[in-house]
Amino acid sequence: MASIRTTKPAKRWEVVAPSDVSALASELELPPAIAGILIARGIRTVEAAQVFLHPSLNDLHDPLLLRDMPIAIDRLRRAIAAGERIEIHGDYDVDGTTSTVILKTAIGLAGGRADFWIPHRVKDGYGMRESAVDLAAERGVKLIISVDTGIRAAAAVNRARELGIDVIVTDHHLPDQTLPAALAVVNPNRLDCTYPEKNLCGAGVAFKLAQGLIETLGWPKDKRDRMLASFLKLAAIATVADVVPLTGENRIIVSHGLRGLAHTRNPGLRALLDAAGVPPGRAPNVGQVGFRIAPRINAAGRMASADEVMQLFAADGDEKARAIAERLTRLNTERQDEEARIIDEILLDCEGHLPAELPAAFVFAGEAWHRGVLGIVASRLAERFCRPTVVLGIENGEAAGSARSIRAFHLLESLESMRHLFVKFGGHRQAAGMTLETARVDEFRAAFAGFAASVLREEDFVPVQRVDAEVRFTDINNSFWRQLSRLEPFGMGNSTPVLMARGVEIVSEPEVMKEKHLKFSASQGGRVIKFKAFGFVERAAEVFRGALVDLTFQMEADDYWGGFCTKVCDVRPAS
């Protein structure tokens, strides 16, 4: 029987070692290790480093550089001036709901009024729907704007045209071979768009439309800047939640947006931050957004209706906002319980059934699996097995679900190669969704594993630990932490740096925490540092007192004691 991974696996270390860091370290007065991290991330000059270390709103790109943006702004302004009914069609996740709030608010500030339609994940499924367009026509809607969706909604767009409704598509997902026949398609990833930032999330694209609209209103610059700063708070949450690279324009959005959250006045957003344990006056970090704030927003669309998120941000009083935020917290707990149940069911079924040589990719399918959590389940299993993974929920002869990938595998390309199997599908390199007939699940499983086997190598199935810099324990202090923190915000494309220390001696017996984690102290060069090792309980034998090891670790803010804490990434016998 193949073993089921239940703990942190050993990884293949890739050590980044820039050859000449002295010039940059000297010019910027940085420790050599941090200068090396910048160089390894493509930041090789003082000028580039200054831009990176000091993200400025002045470096945001002109929204008119986006293909079809002038057409979109012109049509939107005409609709506002004529008092036409406008409807925003969004998605039910963090990116979709925040996009909807940003654009709805911008239209209101410009003197118009926009309603919204967000599909119910279970009842309606993903994306723009022809049925929703029909209902919009009955309500007298003359302009539909999609946010974080629509790039593959050709049928819904065509239906709108038949009914005399103009459509503006704003999206960031990869387009199909043919764009939908909308009045305007604003998407940095369309092939004929030369916009400099290709990695905007849906809320990022919605923000650019809001920015373009606001800049036509003739307001003083300080008023424009205040409005755009308020939009950046939600755009930052979505950018982190959608796991797009935190480089370029996204870095600016997240840097300024997170700082703005320290002083938010919106009752719903304040209640959400309170529920997530972020006190007033303190900006959340990327980890708090990704693991506390975003999951609460997502829980509404996953477990109930995303309309509750819209109600939260529209709440006009603290009491109402707190009540909704508390409900989102309860829904998030239900979401976590449902994820655990499905993962346990899958792993229990795997026991004794997996071949000694695992397939190159997995497709798991089951009935009574809540479709709202399948993407997260797929992500957990892809990490556990280090293989592309699809998780499908079966209901009424239809299988629908989500896929998550590993670094070396392009999900959307794989699905494109077997598009005949699907009722619909879409996504990008690392995440995708699909719907197919239940009768074709076995065919899909074989085709998906076969495609993966044809492009992946054996080493792709071993988790990779990128090591950004080698340090000595004597380097690690509060000054080093402050300098390292200047590289924030960390996330996709600018990951939290992984540091390596060689020849470290474990000087305490590992202490078990919550039956899963370890805590121990290690010494090097007379300096002792305390470490936490999450998910390492089954590797306790590797960190016994007196052991000499190499450690990789990350430094993180210590929310409780201030300063920094150190978290183990991997461990191996001293080299």
Side-chain angles (χ1 to χ4, degrees):
M1 181 186 74
S3 61
I4 303 300
R5 184 174 294 152
T6 57
T7 187
K8 291 283 187 182
K11 301 175 181 178
R12 173 165 52 90
W13 295 12
E14 290 183 353
V15 182
V16 180
S19 56
D20 183 14
V21 302
S22 57
L24 193 63
S26 175
E27 289 280 353
L28 296 172
E29 298 182 344
L30 289 174
I34 296 176
I37 292 170
L38 288 172
I39 291 171
R41 298 185 182 196
I43 303 161
R44 297 180 174 86
T45 66
V46 172
E47 294 75 17
Q50 294 291 6
V51 171
F52 182 85
L53 296 173
H54 305 285
S56 171
L57 293 178
N58 293 328
D59 292 327
L60 289 173
H61 303 305
D62 183 349
L64 296 181
L65 295 176
L66 279 157
R67 184 85 176 193
D68 281 4
M69 181 64 83
I71 300 171
I73 293 173
D74 177 70
R75 180 65 183 91
L76 184 51
R77 290 198 64 186
R78 286 191 285 114
I80 293 170
E84 294 179 351
R85 293 203 66 162
I86 304 168
E87 196 164 271
I88 301 167
H89 285 214
D91 190 19
Y92 37 62
D93 65 359
V94 175
D95 200 12
T97 51
T98 55
S99 299
T100 304
V101 174
I102 289 169
L103 198 52
K104 187 176 189 300
T105 304
I107 291 170
L109 291 170
R113 180 181 168 222
D115 297 316
F116 67 90
W117 181 84
I118 298 175
H120 189 284
R121 183 187 290 262
V122 176
K123 296 176 182 177
D124 300 310
Y126 171 80
M128 293 181 68
R129 318 291 291 184
E130 293 174 73
S131 57
V133 172
D134 289 337
L135 292 173
E138 292 176 11
R139 290 189 287 266
V141 171
K142 296 299 181 184
L143 175 63
I144 289 176
I145 307 173
S146 78
V147 290
D148 190 37
T149 187
I151 196 64
R152 294 187 173 223
V157 172
N158 289 339
R159 180 60 178 159
R161 293 184 65 186
E162 292 171 3
L163 296 171
I165 300 174
D166 285 335
V167 177
I168 296 170
V169 169
T170 76
D171 202 349
H172 71 116
H173 294 97
L174 298 178
D176 212 335
Q177 296 174 352
T178 303
L179 295 175
L183 178 70
V185 177
V186 182
N187 184 334
N189 285 306
R190 56 183 288 182
L191 294 178
D192 58 352
C193 181
T194 59
Y195 191 72
E197 180 56 76
K198 296 295 184 181
N199 293 312
L200 292 174
C201 68
V205 180
F207 168 77
K208 300 308 294 188
L209 178 54
Q211 180 187 1
L213 176 64
I214 293 297
E215 289 177 355
T216 68
L217 300 180
W219 290 353
K221 184 178 185 303
D222 62 337
K223 183 178 180 180
R224 293 200 313 270
D225 290 347
R226 286 197 307 273
M227 291 301 101
L228 293 178
S230 69
F231 297 148
L232 284 175
K233 298 172 187 177
L234 290 179
I237 292 174
T239 301
V240 171
D242 224 51
V243 200
V244 293
L246 299 191
T247 55
E249 194 165 33
N250 285 338
R251 180 173 173 82
I252 299 170
I253 290 171
V254 174
S255 296
H256 288 269
L258 294 190
R259 285 204 292 270
L261 286 169
H263 307 289
T264 185
R265 293 186 293 177
N266 179 274
L269 194 48
R270 182 64 260 162
L272 182 66
L273 293 171
D274 289 341
V278 181
R282 181 181 296 179
N285 58 38
V286 166
Q288 290 170 322
V289 172
F291 294 104
R292 300 186 197 173
I293 297 169
R296 285 171 164 83
I297 300 175
N298 263 334
R302 294 185 186 282
M303 307 304 294
S305 168
D307 287 356
E308 295 192 50
V309 176
M310 302 301 294
Q311 293 168 18
L312 175 71
F313 292 128
D316 54 6
D318 293 343
E319 185 175 348
K320 181 178 180 181
R322 280 196 299 269
I324 299 173
E326 289 170 1
R327 171 161 166 75
L328 295 184
T329 297
R330 291 194 299 272
L331 288 173
N332 190 46
T333 300
E334 292 177 18
R335 185 268 305 171
Q336 292 169 327
D337 292 342
E338 181 64 9
E339 285 170 26
R341 183 187 72 81
I342 295 172
I343 289 173
D344 287 347
E345 183 177 330
I346 289 173
L347 294 182
L348 183 62
D349 185 61
C350 284
E351 292 290 351
H353 291 87
L354 289 178
E357 184 175 343
L358 297 181
F362 284 106
V363 174
F364 298 109
E367 297 182 359
W369 290 356
H370 197 297
R371 292 184 179 179
V373 303
L374 299 185
I376 303 175
V377 172
S379 180
R380 300 282 187 270
L381 294 173
E383 180 181 3
R384 183 183 295 263
F385 292 112
C386 200
R387 280 158 169 76
T389 302
V390 178
V391 182
L392 301 168
I394 295 174
E395 186 176 341
N396 299 325
E398 182 180 81
S402 297
R404 296 294 184 269
S405 194
I406 59 176
R407 185 173 70 166
F409 189 76
H410 197 302
L411 267 178
L412 191 59
E413 285 182 1
S414 73
L415 300 183
E416 291 277 10
S417 74
M418 57 194 80
R419 60 187 304 138
H420 63 283
L421 296 176
F422 306 113
V423 175
K424 59 181 178 178
F425 71 99
H428 46 81
R429 183 184 185 91
Q430 293 296 307
M434 70 289 294
T435 301
L436 64 157
E437 297 173 3
T438 303
R440 308 200 77 163
V441 169
D442 287 342
E443 185 181 359
F444 172 41
R445 181 179 289 112
F448 189 59
F451 185 95
S454 72
V455 298
L456 293 174
R457 300 167 298 175
E458 191 63 34
E459 56 264 35
D460 295 327
F461 302 132
V462 179
V464 174
Q465 176 69 79
R466 176 188 169 97
V467 179
D468 292 280
E470 183 173 352
V471 295
R472 301 284 298 173
F473 275 15
T474 50
D475 299 330
I476 304 302
N477 51 37
N478 284 323
S479 175
F480 184 90
W481 164 242
R482 286 192 295 272
Q483 295 281 30
L484 188 68
S485 298
R486 296 175 65 191
L487 276 59
E488 293 183 337
F490 298 128
M492 177 73 171
N494 183 43
S495 58
T496 303
V498 174
L499 308 175
M500 177 179 66
R502 299 180 192 266
V504 170
E505 181 183 0
I506 307 301
V507 294
S508 70
E509 291 296 338
E511 177 185 341
V512 178
M513 303 182 296
K514 298 183 179 180
E515 301 180 351
K516 298 179 181 179
H517 318 303
L518 299 179
K519 182 165 62 173
F520 59 85
S521 296
S523 174
Q524 184 199 57
R527 170 110 157 92
V528 176
I529 296 179
K530 295 180 179 179
F531 289 91
K532 295 178 181 179
F534 293 97
F536 272 78
V537 70
E538 293 187 16
R539 298 182 63 186
E542 301 176 50
V543 288
F544 57 90
R545 185 173 184 175
L548 285 176
V549 299
D550 296 341
L551 281 178
T552 58
F553 62 96
Q554 294 172 323
M555 300 177 69
E556 295 184 347
D558 191 322
D559 293 338
Y560 296 100
W561 302 106
F564 65 88
C565 59
T566 45
K567 185 182 74 172
V568 173
C569 299
D570 202 14
V571 60
R572 68 186 184 189
S575 54

